[in-house]
Each structure stands twice: as C-alpha cells, then as structure tokens.
Amino acid sequence: SSRLQDKVAIVTGSSSGLGRAIAIRYAQEGAKVVCADLTPTARSQEEAEITTYDFIVRDGGQAIFLQTDVGDATQMENLVQTAVKEYGRLDILVNNAGISIEARTPAVLHLTDEATWDTTMRVNTKSVFLGCKYALTQMLAQEPHSSGDRGWIVNISSIMGMIGGPENPSYCASKGAVSNLTRQMALDYAPENIHINAICPGYTQTAIFKETITNLTPWEDLKRRHPLKGPGMPEDIARIAVVLASDDASWVTGVCLPVDGGYTA
Ligand code: NAD
C-alpha cells in the first residue's frame, strides 16, 4: 500500500535493526527516506549483505544516506537541512538511533561509571531533543501537508522507559526521559497539528538483542515474559511506526505505545 505517499521522512539509526526495518517499510509505503547513521553498514551479519539505502533503491524506492552522529547538534541540523535540500520538505522524523552499553557490562548504579551514563544520555536522549528541535523548526516553517497536519514525530523509546529493568540504570533513565519528553512536546505542538508519539518496544531480535539480552536471559524466560509469540521481530515495530506517521493516526498524539507481545500487560 502507499500510506506515506510523497511524505519525506528522516530515520536515524537506519543501518541496522529497527531503524533499518522502519526505513525499508516507509519507502515501500511511498515515503522518500533520508537514512541517517554513523555508517551505512549494518551491525549484524545477516543485514550486512546489503545496506538499507541499496535495498530501498533496488526495491524501486527513494532514499539517500547521510552519515550522522545523532548526539551532535551541528550534524542534526545539517540532517534536517539535507532532507529539505533534497526533497523540499520534512514530514516525518523517526528518532530511532540508540545504544545499550550496560547490557554488555551489567552494572548496578553504584558501579556505573560517569562515561557510561554520559554516552547513554547523549545517544538515547539528547539526540531526541536535537532531532525534534530542528525538525519542529522546519515543520512550523513549511506549508502543512494536504491533510492539514504539519508533521509526525515517532520516538523509539523502550518498555525499559516504563518499568525498571535489572542492571541498566542509565538505559532505563534515558528511555524514561524520551517517553515523558514525548508527552510534553505533544501538548506544545498539538495546536500546530504536529503528532508526537513514541513506541516502547519489548525485546526485539536485532544486533543489540543478540549481543546482550540472549547472553543474560534464557530463551524460555524471554518467551514467558512476552506471552504473545515471544520476543518480537523488527517488522513488528516497523508496521506500527507506519501507522503513527500516517493519516490513520489523525487523532493520536502524546502516546507511548508498548509494542511488546504483552510484556507490560
Ligand atoms: P541496533 O544496534 O541493531 O541498531 C541501532 C543503530 O543505531 C545502529 O545502526 C547504530 O549504528 C546506530 N547508532 C548508534 N549510535 C548512533 C549515533 N550516535 N548516531 C547515529 N546512529 C547511531 O539496535 P536496535 O535494537 O535496532 O535499536 C534501535 C532502537 O530501539 C534503540 O533506540 C533501542 O534502544 C530501541 N529498543 C530496542 C529494543 C530491542 O530489544 N532491540 C527494545 C526496546 C527499544
């Protein structure tokens, strides 16, 4: 289908995992996609065979890739400007790039070093502030979309921003901030017809998941915690990311939607 026909979308962290699935799905729905990541190459072996950008173009979609560090203000401003230069406007921003470094070195708070805290906050939380700041500036300046809406922002938070998870204090804090910032911004920009929502994924089978969670938690345990089908796939998140950026979400804003197979039910 073409639920995002002619919309211009930025997807951060687009080279791997959830960002890759979202970028590909958006292009299949007719969006022009600006893919942004530290490198075009995917982190997992299965995905590394073809970059997200090459996949979309081979599939007949429209995309560009821009190397971007989401924690850097100048690069984030340039990312929005590049989308506008290339495609004339910006309709959708997906703040997806994120890291989970604690899961590699399990840590309770009194053992957490300052660098872990600062890096997690920079990549997971400051990035959302920066992306929204420059995207909202552009959305407010341009003509509204034909529906009358000015823009759609989708933040990828986590179920760990809703509940506490063991031994990942800075990750939980960084995602809790993303969720509440989503609710806060939704109020300020609702009068401008800008939709700002978040998805809170449960454990989803990406590179982060394979490097970290599966080492720490037995599969049977993971299945029990996600009573509907066990841990999810990137496409389970991408399908909901389409809805939240489409006209189907005409009266939806400020929502932090768990997409988690029942984990938080
Ligand atoms: P992933 O590691 O497969 O992909 C993350 C991508 O972000 C990578 O391509 C990486 O290069 C990129 N990235 C990292 N730091 C960046 C930076 N500074 N600038 C630009 N790009 C950067 O991980 P994923 O599982 O797809 O995670 C995507 C998002 O989903 C993250 O925000 C993560 O916290 C969130 N999330 C994941 C899960 C899960 O179980 N996989 C669950 C809940 C939330």
Side-chain angles (χ1 to χ4, degrees), residues 36-109:
D37 204 306
L38 292 172
T39 133
T41 321
R43 301 209 312 116
S44 77
Q45 233 170 16
E46 306 93 290
E47 295 172 330
E49 267 180 33
I50 180 166
T51 67
T52 303
Y53 166 80
D54 286 327
F55 187 102
I56 290 173
V57 170
R58 191 188 63 183
D59 212 27
Q62 288 193 72
I64 57 169
F65 172 81
L66 186 69
Q67 188 179 338
T68 312
D69 174 356
V70 293
D72 183 283
T74 309
Q75 293 183 41
M76 288 302 272
E77 187 170 21
N78 181 51
L79 174 61
V80 171
Q81 284 170 354
T82 300
V84 176
K85 225 177 290 155
E86 190 74 22
Y87 294 127
R89 56 186 288 116
L90 176 65
D91 300 292
I92 304 165
L93 168 66
V94 183
N95 286 307
N96 162 79
I99 51 171
S100 174
I101 47 185
E102 285 160 329
R104 266 175 247 162
T105 50
V108 289
L109 190 121

Side-chain angles (χ1 to χ4, degrees), residues 148-229:
D149 297 284
R150 271 185 199 278
W152 293 261
I153 293 176
V154 180
N155 297 323
I156 305 301
S157 184
S158 170
I159 55 168
M160 293 302 156
M162 306 171 62
I163 58 175
E167 298 185 353
N168 56 357
S170 53
Y171 185 80
C172 286
S174 73
K175 293 299 188 176
V178 169
S179 291
N180 216 31
L181 180 61
T182 299
R183 298 184 188 99
Q184 192 288 323
M185 290 187 296
L187 294 174
D188 284 343
Y189 297 97
E192 308 290 347
N193 289 350
I194 298 173
H195 304 250
I196 307 179
N197 294 294
I199 296 174
C200 301
Y203 294 152
T204 314
Q205 299 182 51
T206 65
I208 285 189
F209 176 85
K210 282 165 197 156
E211 286 159 7
T212 60
I213 297 152
T214 40
N215 295 336
L216 302 172
T217 320
W219 188 256
E220 272 317 303
D221 224 53
L222 288 172
K223 279 203 78 166
R224 199 167 47 245
R225 290 200 228 165
H226 302 80
L228 186 70
K229 301 179 184 173

Side-chain angles (χ1 to χ4, degrees), residues 129-166:
F129 160 65
L130 293 173
C132 291
K133 178 177 165 71
Y134 299 117
L136 286 164
T137 303
Q138 171 60 28
M139 287 170 180
L140 291 170
Q142 70 194 12
E143 282 297 303
H145 201 257
S146 53
S147 62
D149 297 284
R150 271 185 199 278
W152 293 261
I153 293 176
V154 180
N155 297 323
I156 305 301
S157 184
S158 170
I159 55 168
M160 293 302 156
M162 306 171 62
I163 58 175

